[in-house]
Amino acid sequence: MSQSTKNSIKIYQDSNFQIIIGITLIALLGTGSISPILPSVAEDLNVSPEHIGWVISAFVIPITIGSPIFGILADRYGRKQILIPALFLFAIGGTVCSFAPNFQTLIEFRFVQGIGAAPLESLVLTLISDFYRGKLLTVAMAFNVMNIGLTLTIYPLVSGGLTTWGWRYPFLLSLMAIPLSFWVLFYLKIPARPKQKSFNLKNYLRNIWQSINNYQVGGLLIVIVSIFILSFGPCLTYIPLFADRQLGATHIVIGIILASRALAFAFVSSQLGLFAKSLSEVTLIKVAFVI
């Protein structure tokens, strides 16, 4: 098939890309659907506001640590060999969280669920780069960003509605990872890749250090960590508690508040090319932090 023919195909009709979108949906599920339930969890399990943040942190910590590790394993053993067990582990961890009898059990299995989530988001980008080149790569990335924005808008609304019946129900959404794992197994067509040379951990770590031993890269890492802290601290943990305890907001209203943030994210992301025509990337980052 010629490149022009490929470019004429609507990318959302590609079964591989549909699977990639499904993986993104699951990867975002662990935070987007859980934040609205934090006030109910704190009340039902008698947890103080100082400790309820562990529901998010226990999930995010293994993602932070595990993503690069699973990236190496995926290169060595294959994408499916990592994705399928990860999806099952994500589903199991989330389901057990739904039936957790106490806060300790909830945190333990949120950590398990986080291990399952660790390879998902990073492998989405890897799969996109495996499948697409040139203009199709740009289109695929754009569609995926748009999907992230829409997903982060919808999940809080769905979770807020489910929480009117009880905080345990949103955790059961993780069961969607099981049919997706079979979809990956039977329908994801991984392109042939050149045979990898033997892996040398020392060389790998040396290459990483050479990459980050640069003040500009270090500055970007600080920016990313700052965004990470702000997103999962004030935005996803504190705002639901504040809205519930200080403003008396219902679960549905909390979901709407969180969804409004995602809508803003989706809109600004879609207009980034326009902003970049007038402002440099560094200026855009500075303006974004001030706002």
Side-chain angles (χ1 to χ4, degrees), residues 220 223 227 279-291:
L220 288 174
V223 168
I227 293 171
L279 301 171
S280 68
E281 288 83 354
V282 174
T283 302
L284 282 173
I285 292 173
K286 292 178 180 177
V287 171
F289 268 107
V290 170
I291 293 176

Side-chain angles (χ1 to χ4, degrees), residues 80-281:
K80 287 186 179 183
Q81 286 78 355
I82 300 300
L83 277 172
I84 294 171
L87 289 167
F88 268 98
L89 191 61
F90 183 94
I92 292 169
T95 302
V96 175
C97 286
S98 179
F99 297 96
N102 52 58
F103 189 62
Q104 180 178 337
T105 303
L106 176 63
I107 297 305
E108 290 170 351
F109 280 91
R110 276 290 281 172
F111 189 86
V112 171
Q113 191 181 26
I115 296 174
L120 300 183
E121 194 165 345
S122 59
L123 284 184
V124 162
L125 299 178
T126 302
L127 287 171
I128 290 176
S129 63
D130 283 344
F131 288 123
Y132 308 109
R133 294 289 184 274
K135 291 184 179 180
L136 276 181
L137 176 61
T138 303
V139 173
M141 289 292 188
F143 265 103
N144 193 55
V145 170
M146 183 181 69
N147 175 58
I148 291 172
L150 292 175
T151 300
L152 291 176
T153 302
I154 294 171
Y155 275 161
L157 299 176
V158 172
S159 179
L162 290 174
T163 307
T164 58
W165 297 330
W167 64 264
R168 299 179 184 273
Y169 289 96
F171 281 111
L172 294 177
L173 294 172
S174 61
L175 288 171
M176 293 190 299
I178 292 180
L180 178 60
S181 66
F182 287 103
W183 196 10
V184 170
L185 176 62
F186 294 113
Y187 295 102
L188 184 65
K189 307 301 181 184
I190 304 292
R193 297 165 53 242
K195 188 176 181 180
Q196 296 288 323
K197 297 180 180 179
S198 58
F199 176 74
N200 187 308
L201 181 61
K202 186 177 180 179
N203 289 338
Y204 180 81
L205 294 176
R206 184 186 297 115
N207 290 334
I208 291 178
W209 173 248
Q210 290 174 350
S211 298
I212 66 175
N213 190 21
N214 178 295
Y215 79 94
Q216 289 181 321
V217 176
L220 288 174
L221 288 174
I222 292 173
V223 168
I224 292 170
V225 171
S226 301
I227 293 171
F228 198 77
I229 293 172
L230 290 170
S231 294
F232 289 99
C235 294
L236 295 180
T237 303
Y238 177 73
I239 285 177
L241 295 174
F242 177 76
D244 173 70
R245 300 191 175 192
Q246 302 298 322
L247 305 180
T250 64
H251 298 107
I252 294 177
V253 171
I254 292 173
I256 293 173
I257 293 171
L258 294 174
S260 66
R261 173 176 173 268
L263 276 175
F265 165 80
F267 173 75
V268 174
S269 296
S270 68
Q271 302 301 310
L272 196 56
L274 180 62
F275 298 147
K277 291 180 180 179
S278 303
L279 301 171
S280 68
E281 288 83 354

